[in-house]
Amino acid sequence: LKRLFFSNINRKSNIYIIFRILPIAPEEGLGVADLPQIHNDPFDRLLIIQAKLNDLILITKDKTILKYPIVTIKSWDNL
């Protein structure tokens, strides 16, 4: 399974979002240790380092993740 397609997420628009499964690379696992200790959740820290090393945009409503120097989009509960 390489891609998951979700179409028409919002019934009022024609938004198409493509997700792909991102495997955990060894350098990402090691890179978690180099992140500043802003966030204590290990899975969130892994998402942060993956976004950083792979030039990805992270969509989150977690205010702590928003403090890291990565490109983020703030999410809200009603999306």
Side-chain angles (χ1 to χ4, degrees):
L1 179 65
K2 290 192 176 186
R3 293 185 181 184
L4 302 173
F5 295 91
F6 297 91
S7 62
N8 218 3
I9 291 174
N10 181 346
R11 294 185 190 272
K12 296 178 183 176
S13 66
N14 291 322
I15 298 173
Y16 293 92
I17 299 176
I18 299 174
F19 294 92
R20 78 180 157 94
I21 297 172
L22 186 62
I24 301 170
E27 59 271 13
E28 294 165 348
L30 295 171
V32 168
D34 294 332
L35 286 175
Q37 280 296 115
I38 299 170
H39 206 304
N40 293 323
D41 184 316
F43 184 75
D44 285 347
R45 290 171 59 80
L46 181 59
L47 291 175
I48 292 162
I49 197 68
Q50 284 187 312
K52 182 177 180 180
L53 295 179
N54 293 288
D55 294 322
L56 301 173
I57 298 170
L58 187 58
I59 301 172
T60 184
K61 65 179 183 177
D62 186 327
K63 292 178 183 176
T64 307
I65 290 177
L66 297 172
K67 295 177 183 177
Y68 281 91
I70 58 171
V71 178
T72 57
I73 296 175
K74 185 176 178 184
S75 172
W76 289 270
D77 289 329
N78 60 351
L79 290 180

